[in-house]
Amino acid sequence: MSVEGKKRIITTQRLLEMKQRGEKIAMLTAYDYTSAKIIDEAGIDIILVGDSAANVMAGHETTLPITLDQMIYHAQSVVKAVKNPMVVVDMPFGAYQGNSKQAVFSAIRIMKESEADAVKVEGGSEILESVSRILSTGIPVMGHLGLTPQSIHKFGTYSVRAKEEAEANKLIEDALALEDAGCFALVLEKIPATLGTKVAEALKIPVIGIGAGNGVDGQVLVMHDMLGLTQEFSPRFLRRYHNLHDEMLKAVKNYISDIRSREFPNDQEQY
Ligand code: KIV
């Protein structure tokens, strides 16, 4: 539900219709009230409260340390801000992989305490039981395959996934299994574009890519990366739409300089 108590416009059904009509889906991350409000105003379809908050908000090297409580805190801030987009919340590492009972408990906490619309989980066959149990409670689930950052210690690298036939075949099987289980959408991260297209064509549910080419049903980026707030991360799939790092640096430098030169506050800026 939105701030005004109205149902948000983008639903699982609406996303399915968008795919059927060939309309591309735009998804972006947000972790706080102010950014979520701006992104909603711009007309985004889905806001992902990603566990990438562990990196861009908390400065962790991986997404693993972020907790369920912290994800719920971010989700609450985002939900308060938005009217139209669907809000999907990442289930953090350790909140669903252990067993399916724990997965249901975590998903219910996210939905109850944040009033978000859906949860996202990383992985295929190995987490299918958890996915099915969450879905059985009526909570919509978005899958995530390809590069799954919560498994970084298993992969050992953030390089492109599923380049080899065996891994590509497993990804397709996992994608079909997630759709069969009842997931409403799927994120594909950092895989060959041809494979992204193949999966999107094979599935009825929307497939949202991040580094999965142009043949999928929509795209997602991390907001801090696409706005150029972060500088150290430059994968090929990342298009920077602004250089907010430099803009912010310049603004803060000007502020410091104005204070030091006694130029701020001026006569109009005081009581
Ligand atoms: O946590 C996140 O931001 C994500 C996106 C990269 C898809 O999972």
Side-chain angles (χ1 to χ4, degrees), residues 23-238:
E23 279 172 40
K24 294 281 187 183
I25 298 165
M27 173 163 146
L28 197 57
T29 63
Y31 322 101
D32 68 284
Y33 177 86
T34 308
S35 314
K37 212 162 189 291
I38 298 171
I39 293 173
D40 182 0
E41 195 182 329
I44 205 81
D45 299 307
I46 308 175
I47 293 186
L48 173 66
V49 183
D51 60 355
S52 49
N55 311 120
V56 294
M57 300 300 287
H60 294 296
E61 236 171 75
T62 72
T63 56
L64 275 66
I66 200 159
T67 65
L68 185 58
D69 284 338
Q70 288 166 339
M71 288 305 298
I72 290 171
Y73 166 76
H74 287 299
Q76 285 169 338
S77 314
V78 167
V79 168
K80 262 190 229 133
V82 305
K83 291 197 181 102
N84 294 329
M86 168 183 278
V87 179
V88 180
V89 183
D90 257 335
M91 293 187 62
F93 176 69
Y96 61 100
Q97 293 94 341
N99 63 62
S100 58
K101 202 169 156 191
Q102 176 209 27
V104 173
F105 177 72
S106 305
I108 289 178
R109 271 203 65 200
I110 290 174
M111 299 298 282
K112 242 181 170 4
E113 295 176 37
S114 74
E115 297 189 73
D117 303 303
V119 297
K120 175 164 85 59
V121 291
E122 295 183 7
S125 54
E126 55 294 327
I127 58 149
L128 216 50
E129 193 190 321
S130 293
V131 168
S132 299
R133 283 203 63 183
I134 298 169
L135 284 161
S136 74
T137 68
I139 299 173
V141 179
M142 177 181 267
H144 183 155
L145 296 171
L147 176 65
T148 47
Q150 290 178 11
S151 306
I152 183 58
H153 296 305
K154 184 172 104 187
F155 296 146
T157 154
Y158 286 104
S159 55
V160 182
R161 305 301 314 171
K163 285 206 284 196
E164 308 301 329
E165 202 182 330
E167 196 182 337
N169 288 340
K170 157 106 171 74
L171 188 144
I172 295 169
E173 273 169 32
D174 281 345
L176 290 167
L178 289 169
E179 175 173 80
D180 279 351
C183 285
F184 74 95
L186 178 68
V187 165
L188 289 181
E189 180 163 353
K190 219 169 177 185
I191 59 164
T194 45
L195 180 59
T197 306
K198 201 167 166 183
V199 175
E201 283 172 359
L203 263 51
K204 291 182 199 68
I205 58 171
V207 175
I208 320 278
I210 172 163
N214 204 6
V216 289
D217 308 304
Q219 300 292 330
V220 55
L221 284 176
V222 169
M223 184 195 68
H224 289 63
D225 297 334
M226 61 81 79
L227 290 178
L229 270 165
T230 51
Q231 298 241 302
E232 54 288 341
F233 181 67
S234 275
R236 189 197 294 191
F237 66 73
L238 173 60

